[in-house]
Amino acid sequence: MGFSKEEISKSRRFWSSLWRGIKTVFVLFTMFVSFLLVSAPIFLAVADALLPSALLHRLSAPANLSSHLTNYDFRHSLIDIPLISIVRSAVILCVYGLCDGPKLSRGPYLMITMICSVSSLIYVSLKAAFVFGEPANGDGGGSYFKAAEVALFLCSSVLAIGHIVVAYRTSCRERRKLLVFKIDIEAVSACKNVYPRYQKILQQERLK
């Protein structure tokens, strides 16, 4: 039993609409991913400022900043981990906002990001050796560490490495943009130099 022309037309319209919808979703998804990649330094800086503070708030009893600083002990206090993350993200975000294309490609942005991230990684690693070097006694007499403490140190370390990766990718992207821009300028300059010569040759040929 064959299909009527009306049914075939409806089927074609359905598949055409479905295909247009798929292409629209794909374009929107691509634009969203591109937006995330371009804005990655900003999103990462915001996450770096918020996540360690949220983990510390969950880990410790409710207390203000002054009490944490008053009772600060390098071997036991964890208030310095989110503070380092906030300072690190603020410095990197300010440098990113002040830099333009050439400075983002091979200027102070990548260098300052690497200095801040590596120095904070060294500090966090040194502090982790002190904090986790003295095991606490649990109910069974064995050593245990709170999962939130481990998550706090891991979060700060991963975000520091993430800053380096994002800064490197941003630097590579800006270098590619500058290279394409340089090629375009050279092509336009070459065309400007060649076009008058070509016009002169045409005029000479017409005079002959």
Side-chain angles (χ1 to χ4, degrees), residues 73 75-76 128-137 143-145 149:
D73 183 6
R75 294 172 297 177
H76 304 289
F130 279 93
V131 172
F132 298 136
E134 298 179 359
N137 293 325
S143 61
Y144 72 97
F145 304 120
E149 291 181 358

Side-chain angles (χ1 to χ4, degrees), residues 2-77:
F3 295 98
S4 63
K5 293 183 178 180
E6 185 179 355
E7 291 176 345
I8 294 175
S9 178
K10 288 182 179 179
S11 177
R12 288 179 178 176
R13 285 197 299 269
F14 170 76
W15 289 110
S16 178
S17 300
L18 180 62
W19 178 242
R20 284 197 300 270
I22 292 174
K23 288 193 294 184
T24 303
V25 171
F26 177 76
V27 170
L28 292 175
F29 177 75
T30 305
M31 293 174 62
F32 178 71
V33 172
S34 177
F35 172 74
L36 290 180
L37 292 176
V38 172
S39 306
I42 299 175
F43 288 127
L44 187 61
V46 173
D48 194 14
L50 296 179
L51 287 180
S53 301
L55 288 173
L56 180 65
H57 179 73
R58 182 179 180 182
L59 176 63
S60 60
N64 53 22
L65 181 61
S66 60
S67 62
H68 277 296
L69 295 177
T70 302
N71 302 321
Y72 176 76
D73 183 6
F74 180 78
R75 294 172 297 177
H76 304 289
S77 301

Side-chain angles (χ1 to χ4, degrees), residues 91-138:
V91 172
I92 293 174
L93 191 60
C94 289
V95 174
Y96 176 78
L98 294 175
C99 291
D100 53 3
K103 293 181 181 179
L104 286 176
S105 62
R106 58 188 66 190
Y109 171 62
L110 181 59
M111 181 180 64
I112 293 177
T113 300
M114 291 188 66
I115 291 174
C116 293
S117 299
V118 172
S119 58
S120 61
L121 272 175
I122 294 173
Y123 182 87
V124 169
S125 301
L126 184 63
K127 186 175 182 64
F130 279 93
V131 172
F132 298 136
E134 298 179 359
N137 293 325

